[in-house]
Amino acid sequence: MAPSLGAAALSRLLGPWNRGSGPAYRGLADVLRLLILDGRVPLDTALPSERSLSSALEVSRTTVTAAYSSLREQGFLSSGQGSRGRTRIPENTTFGRALYGPRPAAGGAQVAPGLTAPEGLVDLAYSALPASGEVVHRAFAAALTELPALLPGFGYDALGLLPLRQAIADRYSAAGAPTQPSQIMVTSGAQHALTIIIRALADRQDRILVEHPSYPNALDAVRAAHCRPVPVAFTDNGWDLPALESALAQQRPTIAYVIPDFHNPTGMIMPDSQRRRLARAAAAAGTVLVADETLRELNLDGVPSTPMAAFGKTVVSIGSLSKSHWGGLRTGWIRASEPMIQRFASTRTALDLGGPVMEQLAAAHLVRALDEPLPALLDMLRGNRAALLALLQDHLPEWETAVPAGGLSVWCRLPTPISTALTVIAPDYGIRLAAGPRFGVGGAFERNLRLPFTLPPEKLEAAVLALKAARDRLDAAPQLRRSLTHAPAVAIA
Ligand SMILES: Cc1ncc(COP(=O)(O)O)c(C=O)c1O
């Protein structure tokens, strides 16, 4: 039987919904839609009957009837004859396409990273760094001397070179998650890893739990696989464990994709106690918990934590050298149980036949000395983070920011829903932005903007001044703001 929500519980979730000046039914429908999009009202849940909700909210039954029919028309409620409507996300309706935008082209992303940033723009859509030059260069020089020994072989290896898998496994073991090299598969980055995992485990229409907000390219990978994202919102203080547990128990998604280590875009870190609870809830629901640890090394405040893999045998972890060393290495990995890795390996061969040998030889050196470039990198990022927060405080004090414990970006909360409009006019001011709604499903996060602190303070200053000028223009022209509802499809990392 589908889970259901009682009138009293829904009335609590709705809070003071009737504050707008429009008709009451529209206000009720708007707040209900947001609750569904935020994941606070889970998908496939039967809403209370019209009679019980109208009496709990002390409004006429006509108000509730009209609100429910509006949600039905927009595709947020199923329209079972006589039965209570169930919540859903309108992917295949005209309204749904307006919310989601056009279906991504084959392969997911609409624009390839790195190809489209016009010359001269300060790029705030990428949350990435240049290579830690000397360290990467040295690793390739050493790899070149090792290459001749491998040339007599075929060069294909779906799992990856053993010395690299050994080095990655040793790092997990040292961090508290004992790991054998047979539990590692080397991939062409974390995004490749996620694509393989989804392809191996999920069928079309399967549910995939995601944090809301989440990493845009991961959301694109979920959509490209024609799976249904189940978004779960954060509280003001971090992960909402009761909401995650209830989404897992009620929706039983095939996969739950989380970024516990310096979550992109918020920069938060999940405490070990929550990791344990989440891993337990996922295992109980039969859901494969996928922990993306791409940003794990960017621990700006030195917060201790244990890799998610230590909390459950069925956890699948994703790692990458993109943030600690360089995105251009295109080297990442999956850590999972041995049978699961075998399953990923057979899925992989439909996509590619393994990673390039030179990159893997170099990566083995980098992973063995993974901490080497970190002190200087973290020092620089701490300085940039402080500079960006101070600049925002000085020039855009109404924008709310929390200090991220790590990662590469600040997730700002804006007083007005202008994220898309800002993104559209940003190039006129010399900057490129990623609109807040790219980080969510169904048009959420129009009041949010991710700002990376990957640029040096002088560039950050120019960027914040440009943002302020763009914001002032929109404040002075509300008509303009309302008309700019579609952001151009830009590459995001
Ligand atoms: C959370 C997260 N996952 C995956 C990626 C992509 O990583 P890669 O370059 O290894 O594909 C990024 C890059 O920003 C990220 O932040």
Side-chain angles (χ1 to χ4, degrees):
M1 211 174 65
S4 60
L5 195 60
L10 182 54
S11 151
R12 270 195 305 280
L13 283 169
L14 284 164
W17 58 274
N18 197 4
R19 283 197 296 212
S21 52
Y25 85 87
R26 198 180 298 150
L28 179 57
D30 285 349
V31 178
L32 264 170
R33 197 173 60 227
L34 275 179
L35 289 173
I36 297 168
L37 287 170
D38 273 359
R40 278 174 288 169
V41 171
L43 295 181
D44 208 20
T45 297
L47 292 188
S49 69
E50 291 168 5
R51 193 170 45 80
S52 64
L53 188 60
S54 62
S55 102
L57 297 180
E58 296 176 352
V59 295
S60 76
R61 190 155 162 190
T62 328
T63 301
V64 179
T65 308
Y68 278 5
S69 7
S70 150
L71 289 172
R72 269 195 193 97
E73 271 163 33
Q74 295 172 351
F76 285 93
L77 264 192
S78 65
S79 49
Q81 278 283 323
S83 63
R84 289 159 59 182
R86 292 200 207 151
T87 53
R88 56 193 191 101
I89 295 241
E91 217 186 330
N92 293 320
T93 62
T94 315
F95 186 74
R97 280 192 290 278
L99 283 177
Y100 286 102
R103 267 196 189 290
Q110 294 172 20
V111 182
L115 295 182
T116 51
E119 288 281 303
L121 288 189
V122 176
D123 202 324
L124 299 173
Y126 279 100
S127 188
L129 289 160
S132 45
E134 205 263 324
V135 173
V136 171
H137 195 259
R138 211 170 346 112
F140 271 89
L144 198 55
T145 65
E146 291 161 3
L147 185 64
L150 297 179
L151 291 177
F154 291 125
Y156 290 108
D157 192 337
L159 290 184
L161 292 188
L162 182 58
L164 174 54
R165 288 190 284 123
Q166 181 73 60
I168 296 167
D170 289 348
R171 260 193 90 78
Y172 276 104
S173 301
T179 304
Q180 296 300 318
S182 54
Q183 291 177 259
I184 303 289
M185 181 166 98
V186 178
T187 62
S188 301
Q191 183 68 14
H192 182 221
L194 181 61
T195 307
I196 293 170
I197 293 166
I198 295 178
R199 214 178 159 125
L201 302 181
D203 292 325
R204 281 169 173 250
Q205 298 301 319
D206 275 8
R207 296 189 174 116
I208 298 190
L209 183 151
V210 293
E211 296 146 325
H212 207 216
S214 185
Y215 175 56
N217 294 327
L219 295 175
D220 279 348
V222 171
R223 293 187 192 107
H226 303 280
C227 293
R228 290 182 286 168
V230 176
V232 178
F234 287 86
T235 67
D236 286 343
N237 302 318
W239 282 263
D240 187 341
L241 257 290
L244 286 164
E245 285 167 337
S246 115
L248 285 164
Q250 297 198 354
Q251 309 273 333
R252 299 192 175 269
T254 308
I255 293 172
Y257 168 79
V258 294
I259 312 169
D261 297 277
F262 313 115
H263 173 261
N264 189 351
T266 64
M268 293 187 296
I269 178 155
M270 187 187 285
D272 276 4
S273 57
Q274 295 191 344
R275 292 175 192 235
R276 183 169 294 112
R277 267 177 74 176
L278 184 58
R280 197 177 296 146
T287 297
V288 176
L289 179 60
V290 176
D292 183 340
E293 300 174 340
T294 296
L295 295 135
R296 183 166 166 81
E297 307 310 328
L298 303 185
N299 188 353
L300 299 185
D301 295 337
V303 184
S305 74
T306 312
M308 190 67 97
F311 298 104
K313 285 196 180 3
T314 55
V315 170
V316 173
S317 312
I318 295 176
S320 171
L321 289 179
S322 286
K323 305 295 158 173
S324 56
H325 290 75
W326 193 33
L329 291 166
R330 305 308 313 131
T331 301
W333 56 85
I334 303 174
R335 180 220 182 264
S337 67
E338 201 176 319
M340 193 69 108
I341 288 289
Q342 290 303 330
R343 196 164 160 188
F344 296 146
S346 49
T347 299
R348 176 189 191 149
T349 48
L351 296 167
D352 69 358
L353 302 180
V357 170
M358 258 304 273
E359 271 67 6
Q360 293 185 66
L361 285 172
H365 288 278
L366 295 173
V367 174
R368 260 186 244 118
L370 202 126
D371 297 333
E372 192 188 338
L374 293 182
L377 180 67
L378 297 184
D379 251 4
M380 179 195 73
L381 287 172
R382 278 189 283 265
N384 291 357
R385 175 181 64 175
L388 177 61
L389 290 169
L391 285 160
L392 288 169
Q393 183 56 43
D394 285 352
H395 300 289
L396 290 161
E398 325 69 39
W399 289 20
E400 286 170 31
T401 52
V403 183
L408 294 170
S409 56
V410 172
W411 182 237
C412 304
R413 166 105 184 146
L414 321 183
T416 40
I418 57 168
S419 194
T420 298
L422 267 179
T423 305
V424 176
I425 65 168
D428 297 349
Y429 295 83
I431 48 178
R432 206 171 75 95
L433 298 174
R438 287 290 303 272
F439 295 80
V441 296
F445 306 121
E446 197 50 271
R447 283 175 191 266
N448 292 89
L449 197 60
R450 182 188 74 173
L451 294 179
F453 45 84
T454 46
L455 297 166
E458 27 342 318
K459 279 213 170 169
L460 286 174
E461 180 168 21
V464 171
L465 291 174
L467 271 174
K468 178 176 159 44
R471 191 280 316 262
D472 290 347
R473 172 154 157 227
L474 291 177
D475 276 359
Q479 274 309 100
L480 174 69
R481 184 175 93 201
R482 279 195 288 273
S483 66
L484 301 176
T485 51
H486 290 286
V490 296
I492 295 180

